[in-house]
Amino acid sequence: MIDAHIHADCRPYEDFEIMTVAGIESALTLAHDPMRMSTSTVVLDHFHRILENDFRRANNNGLTLKAALGLHPRSICSDYELVLEKLPEFLDRDEVVALGEVGLESISRLEKEVFKTQLLMAGEMGMKVAVHTPRRNKREVTIETMSLINDNIDTGLVVVDHVDPSIIDLMEDFEGMMGITVQPQKMTPQEAVKLLDETFEEYGPERFMLDSDMSSSPSDPLSVPKTVHQLKLAGWENKKIKKLSHNNAAKFYHI
């Protein structure tokens, strides 16, 4: 199994052992806003912490990490231009497979500018992009998010994450990937199975991946295995389960 969206820097050492014991082989850890991202120095130190400290902690427990790095909409510091200037150097590293987590939170002018700049950067570099959708005003923000994606990058490079019943219809004509986040206060494993039952074949079985978004918010390192268990109980074929829980993410991120 692959957990396609975590924030390893927020999790205790023991979580990585729990994940590997449960059958998770790899995970993608994404840049976000673990603290007050007041300056570019803080943001860049966050990147270094992921690549140095968190990769080591996970590897010591047998979990292979890959990273997505970028300016989260809640991490736009006063001197964000310096982060954007340095970002291509980080994206060029072998262990960094995507630009992310990026997107919109409040649809401010600055958020849209920074998001667009990163989409164009990813397009020029041929990088995959992991896109955030927020908890609040989710549908309104996602409509604007999809507009910027469609206008500024090949959608085949993009995964829109935290897709739930409130926005799934917005993905119908989108040709990229969709992340189904199973996390307390977002979606239970049973709710994820219901959503997938209704959309998996219609939207395309190659377009979904599972993740836990485990972070400092209420989280479960076993979200992906628990969802796989519920899919088995619901009678899903092993081939389809493997697409959702491993193959689609592995193919998209080349991991």
Side-chain angles (χ1 to χ4, degrees):
M1 287 177 280
I2 294 174
D3 190 330
H5 187 137
I6 72 170
H7 299 291
D9 53 311
C10 290
R11 306 306 301 181
Y13 184 89
E14 293 77 13
D15 275 2
F16 306 125
E17 180 184 22
I18 290 170
M19 293 169 74
T20 54
V21 168
I24 298 175
E25 301 167 347
S26 306
L28 184 72
T29 187
L30 294 87
H32 61 130
D33 62 328
M35 60 190 76
R36 184 169 174 263
M37 311 300 271
S38 54
T39 69
S40 60
T41 300
V42 177
V43 177
L44 295 173
D45 279 347
H46 172 50
F47 293 173
H48 283 293
R49 187 253 157 78
I50 290 171
L51 296 174
E52 296 162 11
N53 189 45
D54 296 315
F55 269 54
R56 183 176 63 253
R57 293 194 305 136
N59 184 65
N60 286 346
N61 282 288
L63 179 67
T64 299
L65 283 188
K66 295 295 182 179
L69 301 179
L71 262 179
H72 190 286
R74 297 193 301 264
S75 296
I76 302 174
C77 49
S78 57
D79 56 345
Y80 68 90
E81 295 96 340
L82 293 177
V83 178
L84 295 177
E85 184 179 312
K86 292 279 189 180
L87 188 54
E89 297 175 22
F90 285 92
L91 298 178
D92 200 39
R93 297 175 63 152
D94 290 343
E95 64 268 39
V96 180
V97 298
L99 192 158
E101 173 180 6
V102 298
L104 303 176
E105 186 78 20
S106 65
I107 328 183
S108 70
R109 180 200 59 79
L110 180 57
E111 283 182 4
K112 290 193 286 185
E113 175 188 328
V114 172
F115 183 36
K116 178 180 177 180
T117 298
Q118 292 182 100
L119 289 173
L120 293 172
M121 181 188 298
E124 290 173 3
M125 297 183 70
M127 290 290 294
K128 300 297 171 62
V129 186
V131 175
H132 164 83
T133 56
R135 295 172 189 255
R136 296 183 179 179
N137 302 320
K138 191 175 187 74
R139 188 172 180 85
E140 176 188 0
V141 176
T142 302
I143 289 171
E144 185 67 27
T145 298
M146 299 308 296
S147 176
L148 285 166
I149 290 171
N150 289 327
D151 289 345
N152 292 288
I153 193 170
D154 173 2
T155 57
L157 292 172
V158 177
V159 54
V160 175
D161 217 331
H162 319 319
V163 171
D164 67 13
S166 72
I167 62 169
I168 186 73
D169 63 300
L170 301 177
M171 305 296 131
E172 188 172 5
D173 297 322
F174 173 58
E175 296 180 354
M177 300 290 290
M178 293 174 281
I180 303 299
T181 299
V182 182
Q183 184 184 32
Q185 301 180 355
K186 280 187 180 175
M187 193 182 303
T188 67
Q190 292 83 358
E191 289 169 340
V193 172
K194 183 176 185 297
L195 176 64
L196 290 163
D197 273 335
E198 295 169 351
T199 60
F200 188 72
E201 297 297 342
E202 177 185 357
Y203 284 67
E206 310 290 338
R207 298 178 58 208
F208 292 93
M209 60 180 77
L210 293 174
D211 67 74
S212 67
D213 192 23
M214 66 176 198
S215 61
S216 57
S217 298
S219 301
D220 185 353
L222 296 180
S223 282
V224 172
K226 286 180 179 179
T227 304
V228 166
H229 177 61
Q230 290 298 320
L231 288 165
K232 289 178 179 178
L233 292 177
W236 276 54
E237 298 173 3
N238 287 336
K239 182 178 180 181
K240 291 181 178 180
I241 293 174
K242 191 168 184 180
K243 280 181 179 292
L244 270 170
S245 62
H246 182 276
N247 293 355
N248 290 347
K251 182 179 180 180
F252 183 73
Y253 287 121
H254 302 291
I255 56 178

